[in-house]
Amino acid sequence: MTERPYHHGHLRDALLAEAERTLREQGAEQLSLRDLARQAGVSHAAPRRHFADRQALLDALAGAGFARLADEVAAAVTAAGPDFRARLRATGVAYVRFATTDPALMELMFAAKIAGGDEELAAGAGRLFITVGELISEGQRTGQLPAGDPERLRLLFMATARGIAGIVTPGQPGAGQADGLIDDVVALFTAGGR
Amino acid sequence: MTERPYHHGHLRDALLAEAERTLREQGAEQLSLRDLARQAGVSHAAPRRHFADRQALLDALAGAGFARLADEVAAAVTAAGPDFRARLRATGVAYVRFATTDPALMELMFAAKIAGGDEELAAGAGRLFITVGELISEGQRTGQLPAGDPERLRLLFMATARGIAGIVTPGQPGAGQADGLIDDVVALFTAGGR
DNA sequence: ACCTGAACACCGTTCAAGT
DNA sequence: ACCTGAACACCGTTCAAGT
């Protein structure tokens, strides 16, 4: 290996990748800019060029998290096939799986100040909203979800899925039952249709 | 006013009260043991006698929060009168009101490691579980909620209410619609009954 | 344009000592 | 039993200076 060059080259990405790992393994509390800098082999002041402050790094993580969850939901919906209830269930299960794998990131995302904050964060959250929103509209179009304001129904479904995903954190009573609760939610939502 | 005595007398309570206020006004991030000690007029090491570390203080806050939410839910259910749907709605609205008044505390409570952690925390959470659990059982007894495992239905309702309460934080899209979403939840849950 | 090094004002936690 | 004061090992943030 050669000497580390003065310019890191991928510092922003390196910091984000390491931060994501620390967040997953240790939680948000343990996330320190100085520590990330140390692990990237740069001075403690270097991250400042890429993140205005600690909150900016957290917002970037949340934004990337939303984008990833949107992708995973979209993939799960596609993989679930044409049956609407299966597609709705797949969405909920994708939430739960995400929260299981990355509880601290999930918390960060849904506690983040989305409106009027970081641009990347709003964009990531927007992608998730649109992805879920399309599915909700599909259900209403085919009569498998109750009629009414689609935005409101989307909001209700996302809040519910997030609430269920919230119980998978270790130390929460009822973790492990989350997938079953998603089944119940799908039954409740689709029972009101047609 | 006399000289401050060497022994504070109510230090634990004073720290908790001040911490609750700071949590409400500034969020959990801003909560510092040294700052609380300063505001109580004691040395920075004094809180150690009452809270083993910062996390212990946060757990105590979460425990008290759960106890208070349980009280507020119980009061709201009573005030709602005999109609079951009104009682269920009152429970959800109490969640939303609590989250509106104290978003940071709500987050702290539901992110807290309930099992195997602080005793007071588990006790407070337990009170809320029991309070909501009794209402759910009532609804099943009177046929206004779907039959099935009451623990599971309680878990589902609490997760849903928590998810909806989670959107009232400023910066979340859809805050302000929370009470309406509670109405929708009540309709969904009770539609499955009898 | 990107990074360093020193400096400032904080933290949480520990522990011998005081009342 | 409860609190103090000094000490230790950290933070985030700022800024002149270096490459």
Side-chain angles (χ1 to χ4, degrees):
Chain A
M1 289 296 164
T2 65
E3 282 284 298
R4 179 172 53 79
Y6 187 85
H7 287 78
H8 183 283
H10 311 280
L11 184 54
R12 201 190 127 97
D13 291 344
L15 291 171
L16 278 176
E18 190 56 44
E20 213 175 307
R21 200 167 71 94
T22 305
L23 184 62
R24 192 176 337 104
E25 293 172 1
Q26 322 245 54
E29 310 267 274
Q30 297 301 318
L31 210 60
S32 132
L33 286 176
R34 287 181 105 109
D35 200 41
L36 292 173
R38 227 172 279 132
Q39 289 181 259
V42 295
S43 86
H44 65 263
R48 192 76 210 299
R49 287 287 133 187
H50 301 98
F51 302 101
D53 54 23
R54 202 184 104 105
Q55 190 56 53
L57 173 76
L58 295 179
D59 283 349
L61 285 172
F66 271 121
R68 185 152 63 82
L69 179 55
D71 286 346
E72 290 181 11
V73 165
V77 166
T78 301
D83 180 64
F84 177 73
R85 291 171 71 125
R87 288 158 77 81
L88 193 61
R89 178 177 193 282
T91 300
V93 170
Y95 263 70
V96 170
R97 185 181 316 279
F98 192 96
T100 306
T101 315
D102 246 317
L105 179 56
M106 189 89 171
E107 257 182 58
L108 204 64
M109 285 156 55
F110 285 97
K113 212 188 137 211
I114 292 170
D118 188 81
E119 212 172 276
E120 197 183 343
L121 172 58
R127 273 180 59 188
L128 179 61
F129 295 163
I130 288 170
T131 304
V132 177
E134 283 170 355
L135 183 67
I136 295 296
S137 296
E138 174 189 324
Q140 291 188 309
R141 232 185 299 117
T142 59
Q144 293 178 279
L145 285 180
D149 181 7
E151 283 300 297
R152 178 163 166 170
L153 194 55
R154 174 189 60 72
L155 199 57
L156 179 63
F157 181 75
M158 286 183 68
T160 303
R162 178 232 197 281
I164 292 169
I167 69 171
V168 301
T169 316
Q172 293 284 333
Q177 300 190 48
D179 280 3
L181 296 185
I182 293 291
D183 287 336
D184 294 346
V185 166
V186 170
L188 283 178
F189 273 69
T190 55
R194 76 169 51 268
Chain B
M1 288 298 164
T2 65
E3 282 284 300
R4 180 172 53 79
Y6 187 85
H7 287 78
H8 183 282
H10 311 281
L11 185 53
R12 200 190 128 96
D13 290 345
L15 291 170
L16 279 176
E18 191 55 44
E20 212 175 307
R21 199 167 72 94
T22 304
L23 183 63
R24 191 176 337 106
E25 293 172 3
Q26 322 246 54
E29 310 267 274
Q30 297 302 316
L31 211 58
S32 132
L33 285 178
R34 287 181 104 109
D35 200 40
L36 292 173
R38 230 172 276 131
Q39 290 181 259
V42 295
S43 86
H44 65 263
R48 193 74 210 300
R49 286 287 133 186
H50 301 97
F51 302 102
D53 54 22
R54 202 184 105 105
Q55 190 57 52
L57 173 74
L58 295 179
D59 284 349
L61 285 172
F66 270 121
R68 185 152 64 82
L69 179 55
D71 286 345
E72 291 180 11
V73 165
V77 166
T78 301
D83 180 65
F84 177 73
R85 291 171 71 126
R87 287 157 79 79
L88 192 62
R89 178 176 193 281
T91 299
V93 170
Y95 264 69
V96 171
R97 186 182 315 278
F98 191 97
T100 306
T101 314
D102 246 317
L105 178 56
M106 189 89 172
E107 258 182 59
L108 203 64
M109 285 156 54
F110 286 97
K113 213 188 138 211
I114 291 170
D118 188 82
E119 212 171 276
E120 197 183 340
L121 172 58
R127 272 180 59 186
L128 179 62
F129 294 164
I130 288 170
T131 304
V132 177
E134 284 171 354
L135 183 67
I136 296 296
S137 295
E138 174 189 323
Q140 291 188 310
R141 234 184 297 117
T142 60
Q144 293 179 279
L145 285 179
D149 181 7
E151 282 300 296
R152 178 164 167 171
L153 194 55
R154 175 189 61 72
L155 198 58
L156 180 63
F157 181 76
M158 286 184 67
T160 305
R162 178 230 196 283
I164 291 170
I167 71 170
V168 301
T169 316
Q172 293 284 334
Q177 299 189 52
D179 281 2
L181 297 184
I182 293 291
D183 286 337
D184 294 346
V185 166
V186 171
L188 284 177
F189 274 68
T190 56
R194 78 167 56 267

